Amino acid sequence: MLVSEAQIELETDGRLKFLDSPMQADSTTDIIYMMCPMHLLTIEDQIKVLQPGEVLAILTDYDGALEDIPAWCAKTGNDFLGIFEDSDHYKFYIRKKTR
Amino acid sequence: MNIYLDHVATNPLHPEVLEAMMPYFREHYGNPLSLYEPGMKAREAIETARAATASLINAKPKEIVFTASGAESNNFAVKGIAYANQNKGKHVIVSKIEHHSVLNTARFLEKQGFAVTYLPVDKYGTVNPADIEKAITKETILISVIHASPEIGTIQPIEEIGRIARQKGVIFHTDAVASVGNIPVDVQSLNADLVSFTAHQFYGPKGAAALYVKEGVRIVPLVYGGIQEGGRRAGTENVPAIVGMGRAAELAKRDLKKRVDHVRALRDKIIDCALKIDKALLTGHPEKRLPGHASFVVEYIEGEAMLLLLAAKGIYSASGSACSSKALKASPVLISIGIPAHVAQGSVVFTLGETITEDDITYFTEIFPAVISRLREISPYAKGWEGTEGPTCTAQK
């Protein structure tokens, strides 16, 4: 399991949403093995090229993303759809805000 | 008269490369991550250089990671792919004639619990693709085979090896340090997932090199820190050197055919001259070799003495690997192609560049046979290998 106890605590504040299966995404970016702050920079770059309402998937094994990506979504108004925990990485799903 | 015949060791900066670099030492010294004008100038220059460097090998700009040396690129490729895929398997295949930056990295991986297969080569130093196919197991995660040997010049059947690797789903890296900028290299036709190359092999500066990482290939960084190179290689960029690499790549792409035609014709004159000397043998493949590369073993004399006498006459050359010249060990590459250890001591490598002239080669053809004659006059083995194993070299002339 990739999720530590500290991260599970985060889940209780309502931000983390774990999914039972992967979602369909309009665009997928693999940043596995890249560390902070590549996850945030990558989201900013990738979300710009999506149309409003489209879904971005970010694949990362960086644990800090569990906190950072939902927080980034809350801050920017994009919709954090959830996390699927794969065998050795996470898949984060974000829907670009409509306006 | 000084004639530099060691272009595989390094090359002088092309004047246009130096000119392109200078503003980035003087005016545009900003950190590429800085948000103000000098930083933006530096950042733009890096991206321009990335596009030019990618274009030289028919890659996309985002597939280029700048590094500081060919050795770093090779370490990054081999360790980075091994670590990224160790959950799938822990078997790596390399050839026995890889550069030490691949061979020693493979040995390091063995200490980390990986299994490594070291593939043999034939008498020309060529890897048999069928051997690769046989060596692949369900544990194999990486194959690394050098594109062209800096020591014997042989060019490997990389397209075929890459095709096998792709069919078997194994990641394939080639060390193309000696080939990029000297022969056409197209990462698409080579079927390579990773390619190492360095600027100073094509009249760029030392301290700038690159690793091509095919889009979608996961790699563990060697250096963590900032967001440089997309997080794959942290550290403030060597902006002037990267700019120089980009300009050198543009020039190499523009002038490649002219350079190849020029050095090949002169190289053939060196080979013709050397092969007229008794017991001088061409090492490496006679045709499938780097166009500016001529390498020999000369029996009954010692390579270092040959280099020193040639240098005294203004001809600068090399004996092959650092192993043979610094540690007085027989070169592993020469041993791998069947040259006996005592014969391998007589190794000499001449590599040509674009500034070598017909007059230079005429001078060489006068001096080289005379140097060999002089050394054989004073060699204790001039009449044969008395007291050594194996009477003569078994390699084919």
Side-chain angles (χ1 to χ4, degrees):
Chain A
M1 289 292 283
L2 293 168
V3 183
S4 68
E5 283 181 22
Q7 288 149 2
I8 290 167
E9 275 180 31
L10 265 176
E11 193 174 7
T12 59
D13 75 8
R15 271 187 183 168
L16 282 191
K17 287 183 269 184
F18 280 90
L19 307 169
D20 294 331
S21 58
M23 291 177 66
Q24 285 291 320
D26 298 293
S27 172
T28 299
T29 298
D30 180 340
I31 53 164
I32 291 172
Y33 304 126
M34 300 300 112
M35 297 284 191
C36 181
M38 288 313 300
H39 55 306
L40 297 177
L41 296 179
T42 303
I43 292 177
E44 283 179 8
D45 285 346
Q46 295 301 311
I47 213 90
K48 279 181 199 160
V49 297
L50 287 186
Q51 298 299 315
E54 286 187 325
V55 173
L56 171 67
I58 296 279
L59 280 53
T60 177
D61 61 339
Y62 177 61
D63 291 336
L66 289 164
E67 187 173 350
D68 294 344
I69 290 181
W72 181 87
C73 290
K75 184 179 151 195
T76 59
N78 290 288
D79 205 3
F80 176 59
L81 301 177
I83 304 161
F84 176 71
E85 191 182 357
D86 218 323
S87 59
D88 59 354
H89 65 273
Y90 306 106
K91 292 182 168 74
F92 287 81
Y93 297 96
I94 302 151
R95 188 187 306 282
K96 184 170 179 173
K97 61 184 173 186
T98 48
R99 51 173 302 176
Chain B
M1 190 169 199
N2 289 333
I3 306 174
Y4 184 73
L5 289 178
D6 199 9
H7 284 263
V8 81
T10 193
N11 288 279
L13 269 186
H14 193 290
E16 288 183 47
V17 171
L18 180 60
E19 195 182 327
M21 292 170 67
M22 287 311 287
Y24 295 89
F25 287 111
R26 289 178 173 147
E27 298 92 15
H28 311 310
Y29 50 80
N31 186 317
L33 288 187
S34 298
L35 297 177
Y36 39 75
E37 177 75 10
M40 286 163 57
K41 281 268 187 200
R43 190 158 64 248
E44 285 166 15
I46 287 175
E47 294 317 312
T48 302
R50 195 185 309 282
T53 303
S55 175
L56 179 61
I57 59 167
N58 193 24
K60 298 173 190 165
K62 66 180 174 184
E63 294 174 318
I64 297 295
V65 181
F66 286 118
T67 67
S69 66
E72 184 190 331
S73 294
N74 282 340
N75 270 261
F76 182 19
V78 175
K79 287 182 194 164
I81 293 300
Y83 288 147
N85 294 279
Q86 58 186 325
N87 291 338
K88 295 180 197 159
K90 297 190 90 172
H91 179 230
V92 173
I93 299 171
V94 302
S95 85
K96 284 186 177 175
I97 65 158
E98 295 303 304
H99 186 264
H100 278 87
S101 52
V102 169
L103 278 183
N104 284 343
T105 304
R107 289 176 187 131
F108 167 81
L109 287 178
E110 283 187 285
K111 290 180 187 294
Q112 308 297 310
F114 288 82
V116 179
T117 299
Y118 298 90
L119 287 174
V121 292
D122 67 11
K123 65 186 178 187
Y124 298 131
T126 308
V127 174
N128 183 350
D131 290 343
I132 300 242
E133 197 155 10
K134 278 184 225 153
I136 295 173
T137 72
K138 61 181 185 339
E139 288 283 308
T140 308
I141 50 169
L142 173 67
I143 297 165
S144 181
V145 176
I146 194 165
H147 189 195
S149 168
E151 202 172 332
I152 57 172
T154 299
I155 298 171
Q156 301 292 339
I158 292 298
E159 296 89 343
E160 176 66 3
I161 295 168
R163 190 186 59 75
I164 291 167
R166 202 150 282 178
Q167 269 178 0
K168 301 279 185 179
V170 179
I171 294 173
F172 176 50
H173 165 248
T174 185
D175 167 5
V177 165
S179 58
V180 169
N182 292 303
I183 56 173
V185 173
D186 179 331
V187 295
Q188 311 304 330
S189 61
L190 290 184
N191 301 314
D193 298 304
L194 301 107
V195 177
S196 304
F197 57 111
T198 190
H200 72 101
Q201 289 291 328
F202 48 93
Y203 307 99
K206 296 155 191 74
L211 180 67
Y212 158 78
V213 184
K214 186 179 171 62
E215 189 176 13
V217 171
R218 290 177 188 162
I219 188 162
V220 173
L222 277 187
V223 185
Y224 283 110
I227 60 171
Q228 293 89 357
E229 301 303 299
R232 292 181 290 185
R233 200 258 189 184
T236 302
E237 299 92 335
N238 185 350
V239 181
I242 289 171
V243 167
M245 184 167 191
R247 184 67 185 128
E250 287 172 353
L251 297 174
K253 190 171 180 185
R254 185 190 74 189
D255 296 342
L256 189 58
K257 186 177 183 312
K258 193 172 71 179
R259 288 180 185 175
V260 168
D261 291 345
H262 175 72
V263 295
R264 182 185 282 131
L266 297 175
R267 185 275 316 266
D268 288 346
K269 291 186 178 184
I270 288 181
I271 292 177
D272 289 346
C273 165
L275 293 186
K276 284 180 187 147
I277 297 168
D278 186 38
K279 303 288 185 193
L281 308 162
L282 182 72
T283 55
H285 201 284
E287 288 98 34
K288 293 174 188 166
R289 63 185 300 128
L290 289 170
H293 193 290
S295 54
F296 309 93
V297 285
V298 185
E299 290 201 64
Y300 312 135
I301 58 172
E302 201 271 320
E304 296 295 301
M306 192 161 33
L307 300 193
L308 291 173
L309 273 195
L310 286 169
K313 298 285 185 184
I315 296 172
Y316 303 129
S317 57
S319 64
S321 76
C323 256
S324 45
S325 62
K326 298 290 181 199
L328 295 177
K329 283 172 70 180
S331 149
V333 174
L334 296 180
I335 297 299
S336 296
I337 62 172
I339 307 280
H342 56 286
V343 178
Q345 297 300 330
S347 164
V348 64
V349 181
F350 303 109
T351 43
L352 294 83
E354 65 179 359
T355 56
I356 297 294
T357 65
E358 288 274 356
D359 285 349
D360 292 338
I361 300 305
T362 302
Y363 176 72
F364 171 88
T365 58
E366 289 164 8
I367 297 298
F368 186 53
V371 163
I372 302 302
S373 296
R374 174 65 187 135
L375 286 171
R376 281 183 175 161
E377 281 169 18
I378 59 173
S379 167
Y381 297 114
K383 292 186 172 64
W385 294 111
E386 276 177 55
T388 61
E389 287 181 13
T392 54
C393 180
T394 54
Q396 299 266 325
K397 194 158 184 173

